[in-house]
Amino acid sequence: MGYGFGLGFAVRKAQGMSPVPGSVGEFFWGGATGTYFWIDPQEHVGRGADAAAPDQRLRYRYLTRRLVYAAVTGPARSRRR
């Protein structure tokens, strides 16, 4: 969904395809048990998390990103209509 994979990280290659906010060029890594980090060089933000919630990992990854971007840019608006 807009990402490629290289050098051990997923890299966003296209805008508007991912369900989470971010910029082209951001990169992330996520572990199977919930560990996760991402860096968005364009927006100068990033976040690392170490959670032992393998069955909820995607929920917390998406929530964390939305919270960080909302804190920096204001509430996220849905682009889908």
Side-chain angles (χ1 to χ4, degrees):
M1 295 186 300
Y3 288 92
F5 205 83
L7 299 176
F9 301 98
V11 179
R12 187 179 295 227
K13 297 172 66 177
Q15 195 66 28
M17 298 177 71
S18 176
V20 293
S23 306
V24 172
E26 68 159 40
F27 54 98
F28 76 90
W29 177 85
T33 61
T35 55
Y36 175 69
F37 85 89
W38 104 92
I39 297 173
D40 186 339
Q42 184 174 329
E43 297 294 332
H44 304 284
V45 296
R47 169 84 164 75
D50 193 13
D55 59 335
Q56 296 289 317
R57 66 181 182 266
L58 291 181
R59 176 179 179 222
Y60 288 116
R61 288 176 190 172
Y62 291 3
L63 176 63
T64 301
R65 275 197 186 212
R66 289 187 176 107
L67 289 172
V68 169
Y69 281 105
V72 173
T73 63
R77 294 187 178 99
S78 177
R79 293 178 190 232
R80 295 180 188 172
R81 295 192 186 248

